[in-house]
Every structure is written in C-alpha cells, then in structure tokens.
Amino acid sequence: MFTHKTEICLTDEQRFNLMTVPTDRPVPVVIDCDAGNEIDDQFTIAWSLLRADRIDLQAIYAAPYTNAFFANQDGQPTRVAEAKDGMLRSYNEIQHVLSLLTPISPPPVFQGANNYLKDCSTPVTNPAVADLIERARKAPSTLHVVVIGAPTNIATALLLAPDIAQRIHILWLGGHSPDWPDTEEFNLMQDISASRVILDSEVALTWFPCMGVTNTMATSVPEMQYYLQNTSRIGDYLATLAPQFPWITFAARKVIWDIVTIGYLISPAWFSSEVIASPVLNDNLTWSRDDRRHPIRQIRYIERDRLFEDIFRRLIDADKTEK
C-alpha cells in the first residue's frame, strides 16, 4: 500500500464549494481524454459542444494510452504499444471530431504527455499541462477538469503547481467501485502513479467508478445506428464508428462510460452520490479504506435514460444547432 500527498491544503468547506456545480449558468470546463482508443470520448466531446447552455468548453487535452495488452483479441483496433503514439492518435481524433461540428467554434486542443509517470513525484511536462496550470490560475470561478483517460496530465499539473487545487474540481472516471473485488480498470491501470496522485492529493474530486456504477451506461450498435445513422455529420460518424469495435458482439452491449462526467455537469440531479474518504490504492490493485483521509464525492447511481435521451437528441440535431 502506498500513498502520496502533494502540497495541497484545502479545508473541507473549500473542497465542497469547489465540488458544487452551479445550475444557473454555463460552467467552465476542460476535457482530458484518450479519444484515439475507443468511442465514448467522441460522444463526450460532441455533447459538451452541443450543450453550450451548460458547458463552456475551454480546452481539450490529449491523454496518452496504450492498448497492446489487448493483442490476443482478434480484430482489436490498432494496437498501441507506446504512450506517445496513443496521445498523438487521441490528438488527431479530437481534431477530427471537432471538424464534424463546425461552424461551432472549437476550443484549442493541446498535446499531452508522451510517457506515464515513473513515480508519484516526477512530473511529465507537456503543452496540455502548461495550459491547464495557466488556465486554472486565471480562472475567475471553479474550473471543472473532466478526466476520462489515464490521469497523467492532470497529476503532472498538480505536482508542478499544487496551488491550482484552489481553483479546480476534478471529475475522474477511473477504477471500480469500492464494493468491487478489484480495481483493475483501464484508465487507472495505465498510470498507477498518476492515479495515486489524484486520489492522495486532497484536490476537490468527484469520482465516477466504472464497474458497479458507470457500467450502467450501456447501449448497443443497433441502438446507436437506429438513432444516429444518416442524421447529422457527427451522428452519422459515431453510428459508422461503433461497429468497428469487435468486442461489441452479437447481443452484446457497449458501455459509453465517459459521458457521465459531462452529464453530471449538465444536470447533477440525474445522479446520486455520497461523500466518502478518498480510497487508498493498494499495490495489488484493490482498495483500502481509511476514514481519516480527506473527503471526495463518489457517484453511486445514474439516471441512465436521462443522459441518453439528451445526448441522442443533441447528436441528431447537431447540424441544425450549427445553423
């Protein structure tokens, strides 16, 4: 078992104020994602831009990823063995998604880390981190940092500039529920050191566990095609992209994990949550509990249909929104 603490000092009152999402105005948001790896990041980016009434999307950061350990699965999309390759693929896919949403004004996109953290103390500097630090320090109100990949970029920013914790609220999808027998989850496992920095740093954090919570965000290829095929440019792209992921087999579902983070910022009322002590990530990828640790918000339940009703409608009407 290992814990690491950055030089962050927040009172519980400050932390809960940062975690509070205003519902009467658009909230400033940045997204850190591994869009080259799957399909859910693309949904998340598009939904963010199509809900400008709630989301002020200010920047997108390309996160590193590697998926070479899926090599034994026939038909797996392009194997990525190097973190830099995954980051660049993510960067290019983000740009492609934005191109399908023009003339909506796109936010700037920044390349992220070329490598994962080697430990919990050594940052991996990159343009995304520089932008996040500058943007957070200048933010007139809480900057909501959506983290839907390996948290390398965000952990680096906290290591380099712990003071930004006074201005940010992290919404991280990673790991499994504390009730799950393990936490062997893609985002968390890729950069265990960065995951520990996020959990141990005492930053304001809303946590979206995967198995046991967000796995309820399931759809299917036929459902995506039924609603999105031949609608808008982005809708048609997503309907065409979905069948290219071979693990979505006959009668199988596809979990669109990442949209929960933006869904929460759009309407916290769609979610149930509780305040818990930040869990301790053990070396064997299980959780330990220590109630002396700082509090975080853990999402427990999601009104699945409310999110999909809104996102499908926005994607269907995306080209109308642009006119």
Side-chain angles (χ1 to χ4, degrees), residues 9-53:
C9 185
L10 291 175
T11 66
D12 286 349
E13 181 180 5
Q14 289 173 317
R15 191 176 292 108
F16 290 127
N17 285 339
L18 290 166
M19 288 191 291
T20 300
V21 178
T23 57
D24 60 345
R25 61 187 182 276
V27 295
V29 176
V30 295
I31 294 176
D32 185 84
C33 65
D34 56 352
N37 180 54
E38 251 214 75
I39 190 173
D40 44 354
D41 303 83
Q42 293 90 323
F43 274 87
T44 305
I45 293 167
W47 198 18
S48 302
L49 288 170
L50 294 169
R51 285 301 309 259
D53 60 312

Short mmCIF file of all heavy atoms in Angstrom, two decimals, residues 9-53:
data_model
loop_
_atom_site.label_atom_id
_atom_site.label_comp_id
_atom_site.label_asym_id
_atom_site.label_seq_id
_atom_site.Cartn_x
_atom_site.Cartn_y
_atom_site.Cartn_z
N CYS A 9 -3.47 22.28 0.45
CA CYS A 9 -4.11 22.50 1.75
C CYS A 9 -5.46 23.15 1.51
O CYS A 9 -5.55 24.35 1.27
CB CYS A 9 -3.23 23.38 2.63
SG CYS A 9 -3.89 23.58 4.30
N LEU A 10 -6.52 22.33 1.54
CA LEU A 10 -7.88 22.81 1.41
C LEU A 10 -8.66 22.43 2.66
O LEU A 10 -8.51 21.33 3.18
CB LEU A 10 -8.57 22.17 0.20
CG LEU A 10 -8.11 22.54 -1.21
CD1 LEU A 10 -8.86 21.69 -2.24
CD2 LEU A 10 -8.34 24.02 -1.49
N THR A 11 -9.49 23.35 3.12
CA THR A 11 -10.43 22.97 4.17
C THR A 11 -11.56 22.17 3.53
O THR A 11 -11.78 22.23 2.31
CB THR A 11 -11.00 24.20 4.87
OG1 THR A 11 -11.81 24.94 3.93
CG2 THR A 11 -9.88 25.10 5.39
N ASP A 12 -12.30 21.44 4.32
CA ASP A 12 -13.44 20.71 3.78
C ASP A 12 -14.45 21.67 3.16
O ASP A 12 -15.05 21.37 2.12
CB ASP A 12 -14.10 19.87 4.86
CG ASP A 12 -13.29 18.64 5.23
OD1 ASP A 12 -12.32 18.33 4.49
OD2 ASP A 12 -13.61 17.99 6.24
N GLU A 13 -14.63 22.82 3.77
CA GLU A 13 -15.58 23.80 3.22
C GLU A 13 -15.13 24.26 1.83
O GLU A 13 -15.94 24.34 0.90
CB GLU A 13 -15.70 25.01 4.15
CG GLU A 13 -16.68 26.06 3.64
CD GLU A 13 -16.80 27.26 4.57
OE1 GLU A 13 -16.04 27.31 5.56
OE2 GLU A 13 -17.65 28.13 4.31
N GLN A 14 -13.84 24.56 1.68
CA GLN A 14 -13.33 24.95 0.37
C GLN A 14 -13.51 23.83 -0.64
O GLN A 14 -13.90 24.06 -1.79
CB GLN A 14 -11.85 25.31 0.49
CG GLN A 14 -11.57 26.60 1.23
CD GLN A 14 -10.08 26.81 1.46
OE1 GLN A 14 -9.35 25.88 1.82
NE2 GLN A 14 -9.61 28.02 1.25
N ARG A 15 -13.22 22.61 -0.21
CA ARG A 15 -13.32 21.47 -1.13
C ARG A 15 -14.75 21.28 -1.61
O ARG A 15 -15.01 21.08 -2.79
CB ARG A 15 -12.79 20.21 -0.42
CG ARG A 15 -12.59 19.02 -1.34
CD ARG A 15 -11.97 17.87 -0.59
NE ARG A 15 -10.59 18.14 -0.19
CZ ARG A 15 -10.20 18.38 1.06
NH1 ARG A 15 -11.08 18.37 2.05
NH2 ARG A 15 -8.94 18.61 1.34
N PHE A 16 -15.72 21.34 -0.70
CA PHE A 16 -17.11 21.15 -1.09
C PHE A 16 -17.63 22.31 -1.94
O PHE A 16 -18.46 22.10 -2.84
CB PHE A 16 -17.99 20.95 0.14
CG PHE A 16 -17.75 19.64 0.84
CD1 PHE A 16 -17.47 19.60 2.20
CD2 PHE A 16 -17.81 18.44 0.14
CE1 PHE A 16 -17.26 18.39 2.85
CE2 PHE A 16 -17.60 17.23 0.77
CZ PHE A 16 -17.31 17.20 2.13
N ASN A 17 -17.14 23.51 -1.70
CA ASN A 17 -17.51 24.64 -2.55
C ASN A 17 -17.02 24.42 -3.98
O ASN A 17 -17.74 24.71 -4.95
CB ASN A 17 -16.95 25.94 -2.00
CG ASN A 17 -17.71 26.44 -0.78
OD1 ASN A 17 -18.86 26.07 -0.55
ND2 ASN A 17 -17.07 27.28 0.03
N LEU A 18 -15.80 23.92 -4.12
CA LEU A 18 -15.26 23.65 -5.45
C LEU A 18 -16.03 22.54 -6.15
O LEU A 18 -16.20 22.56 -7.38
CB LEU A 18 -13.78 23.28 -5.35
CG LEU A 18 -12.82 24.39 -4.94
CD1 LEU A 18 -11.46 23.82 -4.54
CD2 LEU A 18 -12.65 25.40 -6.08
N MET A 19 -16.52 21.57 -5.40
CA MET A 19 -17.26 20.44 -5.98
C MET A 19 -18.71 20.78 -6.32
O MET A 19 -19.39 19.99 -6.97
CB MET A 19 -17.22 19.24 -5.03
CG MET A 19 -15.88 18.57 -4.93
SD MET A 19 -15.95 16.98 -4.07
CE MET A 19 -16.29 17.48 -2.39
N THR A 20 -19.18 21.94 -5.90
CA THR A 20 -20.56 22.33 -6.18
C THR A 20 -20.67 22.85 -7.60
O THR A 20 -19.92 23.73 -8.02
CB THR A 20 -21.02 23.43 -5.19
OG1 THR A 20 -20.93 22.92 -3.86
CG2 THR A 20 -22.45 23.85 -5.49
N VAL A 21 -21.60 22.28 -8.37
CA VAL A 21 -21.78 22.66 -9.77
C VAL A 21 -22.95 23.63 -9.88
O VAL A 21 -24.09 23.26 -9.59
CB VAL A 21 -22.06 21.42 -10.64
CG1 VAL A 21 -22.30 21.82 -12.09
CG2 VAL A 21 -20.90 20.42 -10.54
N PRO A 22 -22.70 24.88 -10.30
CA PRO A 22 -23.80 25.83 -10.48
C PRO A 22 -24.76 25.33 -11.55
O PRO A 22 -24.34 24.77 -12.57
CB PRO A 22 -23.09 27.12 -10.92
CG PRO A 22 -21.67 26.94 -10.54
CD PRO A 22 -21.39 25.48 -10.60
N THR A 23 -26.05 25.53 -11.35
CA THR A 23 -27.04 25.08 -12.32
C THR A 23 -27.74 26.23 -13.03
O THR A 23 -28.65 26.00 -13.83
CB THR A 23 -28.10 24.20 -11.63
OG1 THR A 23 -28.71 24.95 -10.56
CG2 THR A 23 -27.48 22.93 -11.08
N ASP A 24 -27.30 27.46 -12.77
CA ASP A 24 -27.96 28.63 -13.35
C ASP A 24 -27.14 29.30 -14.44
O ASP A 24 -27.52 30.35 -14.95
CB ASP A 24 -28.27 29.64 -12.25
CG ASP A 24 -27.01 30.13 -11.52
OD1 ASP A 24 -25.95 29.47 -11.66
OD2 ASP A 24 -27.09 31.15 -10.80
N ARG A 25 -26.02 28.70 -14.83
CA ARG A 25 -25.16 29.30 -15.86
C ARG A 25 -24.22 28.23 -16.40
O ARG A 25 -24.00 27.20 -15.76
CB ARG A 25 -24.36 30.46 -15.26
CG ARG A 25 -23.45 30.05 -14.12
CD ARG A 25 -22.81 31.27 -13.47
NE ARG A 25 -21.87 30.93 -12.40
CZ ARG A 25 -22.23 30.67 -11.14
NH1 ARG A 25 -23.51 30.70 -10.80
NH2 ARG A 25 -21.32 30.39 -10.23
N PRO A 26 -23.64 28.48 -17.58
CA PRO A 26 -22.63 27.54 -18.10
C PRO A 26 -21.42 27.48 -17.19
O PRO A 26 -21.02 28.49 -16.59
CB PRO A 26 -22.27 28.14 -19.47
CG PRO A 26 -23.41 29.01 -19.84
CD PRO A 26 -23.94 29.55 -18.55
N VAL A 27 -20.85 26.29 -17.05
CA VAL A 27 -19.69 26.12 -16.18
C VAL A 27 -18.43 25.95 -17.03
O VAL A 27 -18.45 25.28 -18.07
CB VAL A 27 -19.87 24.92 -15.23
CG1 VAL A 27 -21.02 25.17 -14.28
CG2 VAL A 27 -20.11 23.63 -16.00
N PRO A 28 -17.32 26.56 -16.63
CA PRO A 28 -16.06 26.42 -17.37
C PRO A 28 -15.50 25.01 -17.24
O PRO A 28 -15.38 24.49 -16.12
CB PRO A 28 -15.14 27.47 -16.76
CG PRO A 28 -15.72 27.75 -15.41
CD PRO A 28 -17.19 27.50 -15.50
N VAL A 29 -15.13 24.41 -18.37
CA VAL A 29 -14.72 23.01 -18.40
C VAL A 29 -13.51 22.84 -19.32
O VAL A 29 -13.40 23.49 -20.36
CB VAL A 29 -15.88 22.12 -18.93
CG1 VAL A 29 -15.44 20.66 -19.07
CG2 VAL A 29 -17.10 22.22 -18.03
N VAL A 30 -12.60 21.95 -18.93
CA VAL A 30 -11.60 21.40 -19.84
C VAL A 30 -11.74 19.88 -19.80
O VAL A 30 -12.16 19.31 -18.80
CB VAL A 30 -10.16 21.82 -19.47
CG1 VAL A 30 -9.98 23.32 -19.61
CG2 VAL A 30 -9.79 21.35 -18.06
N ILE A 31 -11.42 19.23 -20.93
CA ILE A 31 -11.54 17.78 -21.03
C ILE A 31 -10.18 17.19 -21.33
O ILE A 31 -9.49 17.65 -22.26
CB ILE A 31 -12.54 17.37 -22.13
CG1 ILE A 31 -13.95 17.81 -21.78
CG2 ILE A 31 -12.50 15.87 -22.37
CD1 ILE A 31 -14.98 17.52 -22.86
N ASP A 32 -9.78 16.18 -20.58
CA ASP A 32 -8.55 15.43 -20.81
C ASP A 32 -8.96 14.01 -21.20
O ASP A 32 -9.58 13.30 -20.39
CB ASP A 32 -7.70 15.42 -19.54
CG ASP A 32 -6.35 14.77 -19.73
OD1 ASP A 32 -5.43 15.47 -20.20
OD2 ASP A 32 -6.22 13.57 -19.43
N CYS A 33 -8.65 13.58 -22.43
CA CYS A 33 -9.23 12.33 -22.91
C CYS A 33 -8.30 11.56 -23.85
O CYS A 33 -7.40 12.12 -24.46
CB CYS A 33 -10.55 12.61 -23.63
SG CYS A 33 -10.38 13.59 -25.13
N ASP A 34 -8.57 10.25 -23.95
CA ASP A 34 -7.83 9.37 -24.86
C ASP A 34 -8.72 8.98 -26.03
O ASP A 34 -9.06 7.82 -26.24
CB ASP A 34 -7.33 8.12 -24.11
CG ASP A 34 -8.43 7.34 -23.41
OD1 ASP A 34 -9.58 7.84 -23.38
OD2 ASP A 34 -8.16 6.24 -22.92
N ALA A 35 -9.07 9.98 -26.84
CA ALA A 35 -10.08 9.80 -27.89
C ALA A 35 -9.67 8.82 -28.98
O ALA A 35 -10.53 8.34 -29.72
CB ALA A 35 -10.41 11.16 -28.52
N GLY A 36 -8.39 8.51 -29.10
CA GLY A 36 -7.97 7.57 -30.13
C GLY A 36 -8.24 6.13 -29.80
O GLY A 36 -8.12 5.25 -30.66
N ASN A 37 -8.62 5.85 -28.57
CA ASN A 37 -8.71 4.47 -28.11
C ASN A 37 -10.06 3.83 -28.35
O ASN A 37 -10.13 2.65 -28.70
CB ASN A 37 -8.39 4.41 -26.61
CG ASN A 37 -8.47 3.00 -26.06
OD1 ASN A 37 -7.83 2.11 -26.57
ND2 ASN A 37 -9.28 2.81 -25.03
N GLU A 38 -11.15 4.61 -28.16
CA GLU A 38 -12.47 3.99 -28.19
C GLU A 38 -13.46 4.92 -28.86
O GLU A 38 -13.13 5.65 -29.77
CB GLU A 38 -12.90 3.65 -26.76
CG GLU A 38 -12.91 2.15 -26.49
CD GLU A 38 -14.01 1.77 -25.53
OE1 GLU A 38 -15.17 1.77 -25.97
OE2 GLU A 38 -13.70 1.49 -24.36
N ILE A 39 -14.70 4.91 -28.38
CA ILE A 39 -15.76 5.71 -28.99
C ILE A 39 -16.41 6.67 -28.01
O ILE A 39 -17.03 7.66 -28.40
CB ILE A 39 -16.83 4.79 -29.62
CG1 ILE A 39 -17.81 5.59 -30.48
CG2 ILE A 39 -17.54 3.97 -28.54
CD1 ILE A 39 -18.78 4.71 -31.25
N ASP A 40 -16.27 6.42 -26.70
CA ASP A 40 -17.02 7.23 -25.73
C ASP A 40 -16.48 8.64 -25.58
O ASP A 40 -17.23 9.56 -25.27
CB ASP A 40 -17.13 6.53 -24.37
CG ASP A 40 -15.84 5.91 -23.90
OD1 ASP A 40 -14.86 5.89 -24.67
OD2 ASP A 40 -15.81 5.42 -22.76
N ASP A 41 -15.18 8.84 -25.81
CA ASP A 41 -14.62 10.20 -25.75
C ASP A 41 -15.25 11.09 -26.81
O ASP A 41 -15.52 12.27 -26.58
CB ASP A 41 -13.10 10.17 -25.95
CG ASP A 41 -12.39 9.28 -24.97
OD1 ASP A 41 -12.34 8.06 -25.21
OD2 ASP A 41 -11.91 9.79 -23.95
N GLN A 42 -15.46 10.53 -27.99
CA GLN A 42 -16.06 11.30 -29.08
C GLN A 42 -17.47 11.76 -28.72
O GLN A 42 -17.86 12.90 -28.99
CB GLN A 42 -16.09 10.45 -30.36
CG GLN A 42 -14.72 10.15 -30.94
CD GLN A 42 -14.11 8.86 -30.42
OE1 GLN A 42 -14.28 8.52 -29.25
NE2 GLN A 42 -13.39 8.15 -31.26
N PHE A 43 -18.25 10.87 -28.11
CA PHE A 43 -19.58 11.26 -27.63
C PHE A 43 -19.47 12.41 -26.63
O PHE A 43 -20.25 13.37 -26.68
CB PHE A 43 -20.25 10.07 -26.95
CG PHE A 43 -20.99 9.14 -27.87
CD1 PHE A 43 -20.35 8.09 -28.50
CD2 PHE A 43 -22.35 9.31 -28.11
CE1 PHE A 43 -21.03 7.22 -29.33
CE2 PHE A 43 -23.05 8.46 -28.94
CZ PHE A 43 -22.39 7.40 -29.56
N THR A 44 -18.51 12.31 -25.74
CA THR A 44 -18.36 13.30 -24.67
C THR A 44 -17.99 14.67 -25.22
O THR A 44 -18.56 15.70 -24.82
CB THR A 44 -17.29 12.83 -23.67
OG1 THR A 44 -17.63 11.52 -23.20
CG2 THR A 44 -17.17 13.78 -22.50
N ILE A 45 -17.05 14.70 -26.14
CA ILE A 45 -16.63 15.97 -26.75
C ILE A 45 -17.80 16.62 -27.48
O ILE A 45 -18.09 17.81 -27.32
CB ILE A 45 -15.45 15.75 -27.69
CG1 ILE A 45 -14.21 15.32 -26.91
CG2 ILE A 45 -15.16 17.02 -28.51
CD1 ILE A 45 -13.08 14.79 -27.78
N ALA A 46 -18.49 15.82 -28.29
CA ALA A 46 -19.60 16.37 -29.08
C ALA A 46 -20.70 16.90 -28.17
O ALA A 46 -21.23 18.00 -28.38
CB ALA A 46 -20.14 15.29 -30.02
N TRP A 47 -21.07 16.11 -27.16
CA TRP A 47 -22.13 16.54 -26.25
C TRP A 47 -21.77 17.85 -25.55
O TRP A 47 -22.61 18.74 -25.38
CB TRP A 47 -22.40 15.44 -25.24
CG TRP A 47 -23.72 15.53 -24.53
CD1 TRP A 47 -24.83 16.24 -24.89
CD2 TRP A 47 -24.07 14.84 -23.31
NE1 TRP A 47 -25.85 16.05 -24.00
CE2 TRP A 47 -25.41 15.20 -23.02
CE3 TRP A 47 -23.40 13.97 -22.46
CZ2 TRP A 47 -26.08 14.70 -21.89
CZ3 TRP A 47 -24.06 13.47 -21.35
CH2 TRP A 47 -25.38 13.84 -21.08
N SER A 48 -20.50 17.97 -25.16
CA SER A 48 -20.06 19.20 -24.48
C SER A 48 -20.30 20.42 -25.35
O SER A 48 -20.79 21.46 -24.88
CB SER A 48 -18.57 19.09 -24.14
OG SER A 48 -18.30 17.99 -23.33
N LEU A 49 -19.95 20.31 -26.63
CA LEU A 49 -20.09 21.45 -27.53
C LEU A 49 -21.55 21.70 -27.91
O LEU A 49 -21.92 22.85 -28.20
CB LEU A 49 -19.25 21.22 -28.79
CG LEU A 49 -17.74 21.34 -28.57
CD1 LEU A 49 -16.98 20.86 -29.80
CD2 LEU A 49 -17.35 22.78 -28.25
N LEU A 50 -22.36 20.66 -27.89
CA LEU A 50 -23.77 20.81 -28.24
C LEU A 50 -24.63 21.24 -27.06
O LEU A 50 -25.83 21.45 -27.21
CB LEU A 50 -24.30 19.49 -28.83
CG LEU A 50 -23.66 19.08 -30.17
CD1 LEU A 50 -24.03 17.66 -30.53
CD2 LEU A 50 -24.08 20.05 -31.28
N ARG A 51 -24.02 21.35 -25.87
CA ARG A 51 -24.72 21.85 -24.69
C ARG A 51 -24.03 23.11 -24.16
O ARG A 51 -23.72 23.23 -22.99
CB ARG A 51 -24.77 20.78 -23.60
CG ARG A 51 -25.77 19.64 -23.86
CD ARG A 51 -27.23 20.14 -24.02
NE ARG A 51 -27.69 21.01 -22.98
CZ ARG A 51 -28.47 20.62 -21.96
NH1 ARG A 51 -28.84 19.35 -21.88
NH2 ARG A 51 -28.87 21.47 -21.06
N ALA A 52 -23.84 24.06 -25.06
CA ALA A 52 -23.19 25.32 -24.68
C ALA A 52 -24.00 26.09 -23.65
O ALA A 52 -23.47 26.99 -22.99
CB ALA A 52 -22.94 26.18 -25.92
N ASP A 53 -25.28 25.75 -23.51
CA ASP A 53 -26.08 26.38 -22.47
C ASP A 53 -25.64 25.99 -21.07
O ASP A 53 -25.92 26.68 -20.09
CB ASP A 53 -27.56 26.02 -22.66
CG ASP A 53 -27.79 24.51 -22.59
OD1 ASP A 53 -27.04 23.75 -23.24
OD2 ASP A 53 -28.73 24.08 -21.88
#
